[in-house]
Amino acid sequence: MRYRASALGSDGVRVTMESGLTARDRVGVQDFVLLENFTSEAAFIENLRRRFRENLIYTYIGPVLVSVNPYRDLQIYSRQHMERYRGVSFYEVPPHLFAVADTVYRALRTERRDQAVMISGESGAGKTEATKRLLQFYAETCPAPKRGGAVRDRLLQSNPVLEAFGNAKTLRNDNSSRFGKYMDVQFDFKGAPVGGHILSYLLEKSRVVHQNHGERNFHIFYQLLEGGEEETLRRLGLERNPQSYLYLVKGQCAKVSSINDKSDWKVVRKALAVIDFTEDEVEDLLSIVASVLHLGNIHFAADEESNAQVTTENQLKYLTRLLSVEGSTLREALTHRKIIAKGEELLSPLNLEQAAYARDALAKAVYSRTFSWLVGKINRSLASKDVDSPSWRSTTVLGLLDIYGFEVFQHNSFEQFCINYCNEKLQQLFIELTLKSEQEEYEAEGIAWEPVPYFNNKVICDLVEEKFKGIISILDEECLRPGEATDLTFLEKLEDTVKHHPHFLTHKLADQRTRKSLGRGEFRLLHYAGEVTYSVTGFLDKNNDLLFRNLKETMCSSKNPIMSQCFDRSELSDKKRPETVATQFKMSLLQLVEILQSKEPAYVRCIKPNDAKQPGRPLPRSPGQGAAWGGAVCIPPPLVPRYKSLCPETWPSWAGRPQDGVAVLVRHLGYKPEEYKMGRTKIFIRFPKTLFATEDALELRRQSLATKIQAAWRGFHWRQKFLRAKRSAICIQSWWRGTLGRRKAAKRKWAAQTIRRLVRGFILRHTPRCPENAFFLDHVRTSFLLRLRRQLPRNVLDTSWPTPPPALREASELLRELCVKNMVWKYCRSISPEWKQQLQQKAVASEIFKGKKDNYPQSVPRLFISTRLGADEISPRVLQALGSEPIQYAVPVVKYDRKGYKPRARQLLLTPNAVVIVEDAKVKQRIDYANLTGISVSSLSDNLFVLHVHREDNRQKGDVVLQSDHVIETLTKTALSADRVNNININQGSITFAGGPGRDGTIDFTPGSELVITKAKNGHLAVVAPRFNSR
Ligand SMILES: Nc1ncnc2c1ncn2[C@@H]1O[C@H](COP(=O)(O)OP(=O)(O)O)[C@@H](O)[C@H]1O
Ligand SMILES: [Mg+2]
């Protein structure tokens, strides 16, 4: 019983499992290990077919990649595809060649072990294509080496050149590799490609002179004829027509629609330059290619002694030029054979058949040796130039094996025998490595190992290569033995020696039924990939690979640099017989196996869907494919790290022993005992569905985990951001606080210093100015000035003024004066003319009455009015009497008679010239100002006043005693109008006045409580006036 790794989940999981299975129904499983019926070939093919229908050409068998040739570009090798497969686990992405490429590369880098990718499969299955894709993957995704990317280009460009010279169209494949290729790519410790090396195996050189029907010679011939410039062809003596060359027409298909020789030629020409070919070298190389074509057209005719003679002189001429050899030597060498007998050289002429044989042998030798030279040349170009650098010493190597695939044709010859033996050998290695590793794993895990029946082809390998008893040994023996050995005697020998071998059959050994399908000159091998019938014709010759001595000598004398490297003179003096072709091939294969065994292997198995080289056609069974799964092995992937998220106890990590972890996980997932087996370090699972269910559960779980991880990550991310912001804020805050603190400290220091200076200055304030008190004194001054500025008096009446410091007393006084002047000036500017007049009058009033008359203070706040009587209150007759004289002031007054002191209402008018006393409409008295000698009033609060007139003026009746309610105003205006300001007498006690000619009157004033005016008994007018202001 075989097991695979797996797990199972709850009911919720089953739903997705079903849908998952539907998809699987359609496209099959991506790993054959997951097939329920994994030993069944039918199930295998069905799975392959399902996937192929959906253009899924890749499928795994454990670590082995199976690839089906789609025969069309599926657009799956782009740069995006490469990126997708980089750095991801093998099982996490759909199967792909790039997944293998990346896994191998990572193993190479991390474990620093050499790796080898073995690509196998029958001819036309896609091996060469896969190799190219792998190279492309490494060239594009690996880091570039320090010294430019030239190595990458050379690695890539070596391909078209090798393919032009080593590939040909066969019935199986239009670009069939006719040589085996093993390519090492060296990587430095950084994983950059730094060099490469190619080993080539047994070029199928018989193709140079002969091709089966429907096949072609090597591409290069057709490419040169199709693409070569006129000039080149002329130089080489070639015609642009493959039909003209006998070596190109044997297969009768020089032109093939699927091959574009012209454009391929361009690619080759460019590639040659990349891999360091100089123009001269290209010319030499093309000369050789052309010489092979000319050789093919050399004809012979028999002379009378049946000896062959060259009849095509033209060809010979070109040949001697192209190969740079002596014409006569070449002619002789083509028609004679040199034999050394008893130390003597003998020339024996060749008959027609022998001459043709010699010619073909020369063509094959020239071409195949040139091919080997070409490989050498490419290797020199690929060799790492940095051999001495330290990185060189730590290089690791990745090997890519692209060998010719298993081949079956109608007629199979020595070449097919070698090719198929090679495939047999590699299959053997594959089985050994994979089965062994699986068996070892099962044993290491302590799982009962129940071997799957598979075909071990060791028995076939032995049949071919065993010493003495193997086919190669028998062939060599036949080649070497003296006497008449032929292909048929070889067949008889074979029949004798290996007749009981179950994988060997000949006409003679076959039973009645199978005998019909076998010719007499044929033997059949039952290869691992199917039966192949080989015709023995040519086996001996091809194995001997004989080139006559004089032909070798001729070529050794060639001046063509490539030829002189290919044919070395030491070869001539070497007496030892060279190893036969089959033995050489066997040895090189053994070496190859050793190389591969020393490396960590990876496998790609290519399969051909049909023999028609057509896309989309399904997969019929065809020989060679059995091997794809016959020997395949199922190696289960590891379980727990992948599925640990499905069980709470194992998530996120299991601290105990891994085995216990698996046990817990399996119990949680509900595996039944028959579904799995526990190994020492792995678990093995019986049914794929168990694994699918677990996979589906994992898919669901992953989604929820992804959400959680996202949330955690976002939380983390924002927290980091927040913490950063917080740190920055704190940083800014502390900086700012520091700045503030420093500022404050500086301020305090300054303050302390200032206070100290002030205190010291204060103490020394009375001493003369010195440095100690200068600051204080200045401060006092400035502060006084500043204070002064704020406390300046608001108006003229405001007399406040700050006290100045002693030093500023004088300045202060000056300032004060200035300030007052300024205020006065300002005030004066601001008053109106009326107000000015008012103030002037008031000033005059003040001059006259201030401190002298008792009711003066009451008059101060009352404004003087321009006139107390309107024009309508004065009689027009009076106005008429006054004529043109204007009335400046009019006020109602009371006149006291001079004798009886009777009060009578009168109007007092002031004109520019006189005081006029008016009674209603009549001017009672006119006192010209010239006649007004003075005015008397009492010092008390009464309103009486006397106008004194000139005594000599007879027109006048005498002084006038009047009373005005506005006595101050009336008197001020009168004094001003009459210019009698200095003539106002303010009397204490009494006033004497002239009451008429020679008669005087007196008015006595006494203070009292209220105003009383009466005629006293003494005939005086007695006035009692209330006292307002006590003096
Ligand atoms: N992966 C692939 N995608 C598309 N075409 C392919 C692929 N592999 C092979 N082919 C086609 O098949 C032909 C034969 O493939 P090739 O690699 O030469 O076979 P092999 O080397 O195994 O004999 C190629 O020329 C190409 O046309
Ligand atoms: Mg190939």
Side-chain angles (χ1 to χ4, degrees), residues 84 164 206 353 362 377 568 588 685 741 749 759 852 871 951:
R84 184 167 172 215
S206 62
E353 197 185 329
L362 180 64
K377 169 80 187 165
D568 191 29
S588 60
I685 287 156
K749 193 172 162 190
V759 170
K852 294 177 191 162
R951 298 221 181 189

Side-chain angles (χ1 to χ4, degrees), residues 14 31 67-68 179 189 218 222 283 370 401 428 458 480 498 622 654 673 680 720 739 761 812 877 964 971 986 1031:
R14 286 196 184 278
D31 192 332
S67 155
V68 184
F179 67 106
F189 69 100
F218 294 101
Y222 307 94
E283 219 162 85
T370 305
L401 179 68
Q428 174 65 41
K458 184 171 183 304
L480 299 180
V498 291
S622 83
W654 174 254
R680 288 195 187 94
Q720 290 302 310
T739 306
S812 162
R877 280 172 57 196
S964 166
L971 288 184
I986 297 162
R1031 246 178 291 162

Side-chain angles (χ1 to χ4, degrees), residues 57 69-72 77 122-129 173 175:
I57 60 166
N69 186 352
Y71 281 117
R72 66 189 154 103
Y77 304 105
E122 65 175 313
S123 181
K127 299 179 295 298
T128 306
E129 207 62 33
N173 181 356
N175 181 31

Side-chain angles (χ1 to χ4, degrees), residues 876-891:
R877 280 172 57 196
V878 173
L879 293 174
Q880 204 178 0
L882 286 176
S884 61
E885 248 180 313
I887 297 167
Q888 286 176 325
Y889 179 68
V891 66

